[in-house]
């Protein structure tokens, strides 16, 4: 299974971006998906996660109310970001792990075994 993240770019503070994560898996709806980010000089951190059937979603406190994670019934997951702040500047990664049931997505990086390449998000005026 491979993941491909896209949609990053340069945006002004207060602006919006939508990231996409495309999977090669034919059964992507059996995987929980999460977005992580890593700013320069900082550790990679959890941003948002969604369960295999999208019944459960989790967000980092720093993005609640501004970011929305979603997925379709095929092979895509998304991260809609509004009200972007300079501190949201980072490389964003999508990650996935197989789940036998629909449960709360983990916020632990070490529990995801499938990772895409990152996409750069820069928030600056």
């Amino acid at each position: 299974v491979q993941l491909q993240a896209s949609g990053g770019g340069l945006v002004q503070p207060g602006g919006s971006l939508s990231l996409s994560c495309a999977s090669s898996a034919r059964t992507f709806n059996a995987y929980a998906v999460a977005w992580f980010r890593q700013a320069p000089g900082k550790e990679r951190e959890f941003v948002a996660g969604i369960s295999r059937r999208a019944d459960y979603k989790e967000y980092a406190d720093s993005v609640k109310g501004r970011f929305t994670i979603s997925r379709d019934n095929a092979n895509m997951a998304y991260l809609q970001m509004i009200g972007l702040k300079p501190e949201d500047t980072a490389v964003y990664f999508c990650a996935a792990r197989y789940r036998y049931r629909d449960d709360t997505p983990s916020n632990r990086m070490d529990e995801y075994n499938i990772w895409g390449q990152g996409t750069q998000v820069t928030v600056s005026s």
Side-chain angles (χ1 to χ4, degrees):
V1 175
Q2 293 182 325
L3 302 177
Q4 177 83 25
S6 62
L10 173 64
V11 63
Q12 292 187 342
S16 302
L17 273 177
S18 183
L19 305 183
S20 298
C21 178
S23 168
S24 63
R26 287 182 291 177
T27 57
F28 194 46
N29 58 5
Y31 292 78
V33 178
W35 288 93
F36 291 80
R37 67 185 181 187
Q38 187 166 18
K42 295 188 176 181
E43 293 186 352
R44 194 170 298 188
E45 65 176 2
F46 173 81
V47 175
I50 188 167
S51 62
R52 51 180 284 173
R53 289 204 297 265
D55 288 337
Y56 300 92
K57 298 178 183 180
E58 289 287 315
Y59 296 93
D61 288 343
S62 59
V63 306
K64 281 181 181 176
R66 300 187 299 119
F67 290 13
T68 302
I69 190 170
S70 62
R71 66 188 304 164
D72 63 17
N73 292 324
N75 66 334
M76 298 294 297
Y78 307 94
L79 185 68
Q80 179 68 36
M81 306 182 292
I82 64 172
L84 282 161
K85 305 175 181 180
E87 51 263 43
D88 294 318
T89 295
V91 178
Y92 284 71
F93 300 87
C94 60
R97 64 172 187 154
Y98 185 86
R99 302 301 293 161
Y100 290 98
R101 58 192 176 99
D102 202 41
D103 57 4
T104 302
S106 172
N107 61 4
R108 293 173 56 95
M109 189 172 63
D110 60 359
E111 293 189 354
Y112 291 85
N113 59 330
I114 303 167
W115 289 82
Q117 93 297 350
T119 184
Q120 176 71 47
V121 172
T122 302
V123 184
S124 175
S125 55

